[in-house]
Amino acid sequence: MTVLPLRPDLHGCEPYGAPELDVPVRLNVNENPYAPSPAVVADIAAAAGRAAAGLNRYPDRDFPDLRAALADYLAAESGVRLDWQQIWAANGSNEVMTHVLQAFGGPGRTCLSFTPTYSMYPEYARDTFTRYVTGPRREDFTVDVDAVAAAIAREHPAVVILASPNNPTGTALPLDDVVAILEAARGQGPVDAAAGDDGATDCVVVIDEAYAEFRRPGVPSALELLERTDGDGAPRYPHLAVTRTMSKAFGMAGLRLGYLAACQQLVDALRIVRLPYHLSALTQAAALAALDHRDELMSQVASLRDERDRLVSWLRAQGWTAYDSDSNFVLFGPFTDRRAVWQGLLDRGVLIRVVGPEGYLRVCVGTPAEMADFRTALTAVTSDGPHQPDRNGQNLEENPA
Ligand SMILES: Cc1ncc(COP(=O)(O)O)c(C=O)c1O
């Protein structure tokens, strides 16, 4: 066997990924369980067909039409009107956030996040030679703003990433906390000789809103902060970036389309590092066609939210701790042997995820029929012996979150 010159820091690393298993009930990667309707499929196929006729040419590098359509969608969803130049997109929000670290991270620079959180953040950092530093979330998975401010002042990170709602806990950040973190980030980025007299930079704060559309009524989006301006009309938070995706509420995980909203200066920095023509003509055409059907594609979001809230109540009624969630999944437990519970569910055709704090499992919200299968399987797996909730102990807490 040949010996390849793999980068030393990649020795022993495994490719990221949840198990891809062909089982009847797949509730492990936070997808939308509802497939697009035949009418939507037909429109996407027709749009892809028209794009195919021009595939001898490279696609539109800056794709203003798609960026404008995404801006329209955000205006409808969150009431925040942005220019198309304030939107960026790539193959999933994973790629969008990699662009952020390519542009602002790099050797000698730091990315800060707060755990437990999405397991890809360290990989974006590794792949861009950015140092990855974490602090803890509170026991209820909210963030302690003072601790975040202290960590920013200590580390001078180029980028802070905070998921809201957070994966795997479902916890959303209050807007006041985001504002406090943005204020703490002013002038606290890495020193950059090109930045002026004192070399001070503002650390970029990414609010990862992959699951935002599932948030409960009254829970705000950080997009609102992009509208705020100072007296002179300049954006008040030019160091804020909000990432979104079509993979979750939109039900288009297979499309690979994630996007970001920020001030134009930040978006233009991302345009420097993207590979030329990174978004294929087929992706652009399919995304535009899907956005034309946004109402239909999003029509199940309300019922998924209801199903999620029913799931939390049911889990608690069984004696488990289940955290309040603003996303399409629920973290629950604790189990003395969570892997055995996971395996027991899998043996019954239900795939969920071993992720998050020790003892806990994460289940994504599926169709009512899938959730019924999950409840039946969990009841069977936990009906005896070691997997039962401790009825005298913490499992019976009503809502520790
Ligand atoms: C918190 C969070 N952010 C981002 C992503 C990436 O989504 P995508 O690359 O499909 O847009 C995920 C996917 O599960 C996620 O959980």
Side-chain angles (χ1 to χ4, degrees):
M1 201 166 89
T2 185
V3 178
L4 298 172
L6 185 68
R7 267 169 37 194
D9 61 310
L10 296 181
H11 284 163
C13 292
E14 293 286 335
Y16 166 85
E20 285 180 316
L21 302 174
D22 191 12
V23 295
V25 181
R26 287 189 291 171
L27 304 172
N28 66 329
V29 286
N30 302 341
E31 295 154 327
N32 187 324
Y34 297 101
S37 70
V40 177
V41 170
D43 268 12
I44 291 176
R50 286 190 295 277
L55 284 181
N56 56 315
R57 300 290 179 193
Y58 283 113
D60 193 329
R61 257 195 322 255
D62 283 316
F63 47 90
D65 293 348
L66 177 56
R67 289 159 75 187
L70 289 165
D72 284 348
Y73 165 70
L74 289 181
E77 195 270 333
S78 292
V80 175
R81 170 46 70 191
L82 301 169
D83 292 337
W84 70 267
Q85 292 96 334
Q86 291 183 264
I87 306 291
W88 185 241
N91 298 281
S93 54
N94 273 317
E95 189 181 27
V96 170
M97 285 185 272
T98 303
H99 286 167
V100 172
L101 284 192
Q102 283 177 314
F104 299 107
R109 294 197 163 188
T110 299
C111 172
L112 176 67
S113 193
F114 290 81
T115 56
T117 194
Y118 184 40
S119 53
M120 278 301 293
Y121 299 156
E123 300 213 8
Y124 311 149
R126 180 199 68 197
D127 294 346
T128 58
F129 303 97
T130 309
R131 181 172 156 259
Y132 184 66
V133 174
T134 60
R137 286 176 173 251
R138 292 196 189 100
E139 230 169 85
D140 65 359
F141 307 126
T142 57
V143 294
D144 175 344
V145 171
D146 293 336
V148 175
I152 290 174
R154 186 178 65 242
E155 302 290 346
H156 297 294
V159 179
V160 176
I161 309 184
L162 289 162
S164 176
N166 186 41
N167 179 5
T169 64
T171 326
L173 287 175
L175 216 51
D176 287 350
D177 286 3
V178 179
V179 167
I181 292 164
L182 284 163
E183 293 300 343
R186 276 191 208 282
Q188 294 293 339
V191 172
D192 180 351
D197 291 347
D198 58 0
T201 61
D202 296 330
C203 134
V204 171
V205 177
V206 177
I207 304 298
D208 174 358
E209 292 195 350
Y211 300 96
E213 289 94 342
F214 293 109
R215 66 195 187 274
R216 287 169 294 178
V219 175
S221 160
L223 284 173
E224 290 177 28
L225 302 176
L226 290 172
E227 281 189 315
R228 298 196 186 167
T229 52
D230 283 332
D232 59 0
R236 187 175 303 169
Y237 302 114
H239 52 316
L240 168 65
V242 181
T243 55
R244 293 275 186 118
T245 182
M246 291 178 75
S247 299
K248 308 296 179 182
F250 232 97
M252 286 277 136
L255 176 61
R256 306 308 297 128
L257 200 290
Y259 55 105
L260 167 149
C263 75
Q264 189 180 342
Q265 189 189 348
L266 196 154
V267 169
D268 285 346
L270 308 183
R271 292 173 55 228
I272 300 171
V273 296
R274 60 108 172 89
L275 293 174
Y277 315 111
H278 69 290
L279 214 49
S280 88
L282 295 173
T283 302
Q284 292 183 37
L288 276 166
L291 283 160
D292 274 347
H293 292 279
R294 64 182 185 223
D295 291 342
E296 185 185 335
L297 286 168
M298 304 276 295
S299 62
Q300 301 290 350
V301 169
S303 66
L304 287 166
R305 275 198 219 111
D306 291 346
E307 195 68 52
R308 168 198 67 203
D309 295 342
R310 268 197 296 278
L311 172 65
V312 169
S313 304
W314 180 82
L315 285 164
R316 287 178 186 161
Q318 308 314 299
W320 304 111
T321 294
Y323 287 91
D324 280 336
S325 173
D326 279 295
S327 56
N328 66 336
F329 51 81
V330 175
L331 186 74
F332 70 103
F335 299 97
T336 38
D337 185 351
R338 65 173 168 175
R339 195 155 278 283
V341 175
W342 177 84
Q343 186 63 54
L345 293 172
L346 185 57
D347 294 344
R348 289 163 177 79
V350 178
L351 178 60
I352 66 167
R353 190 85 189 263
V354 179
V355 68
E358 193 47 52
Y360 283 81
L361 293 166
R362 188 193 71 195
V363 59
C364 171
V365 178
T367 62
E370 288 172 329
M371 297 325 287
D373 287 349
F374 165 75
R375 288 191 293 269
T376 305
L378 186 68
T379 304
V381 173
T382 59
S383 60
D384 56 33
H387 306 312
Q388 272 194 330
D390 171 5
R391 293 191 181 277
N392 298 315
Q394 59 170 337
N395 296 350
L396 279 184
E397 276 175 44
E398 183 40 37
N399 176 17

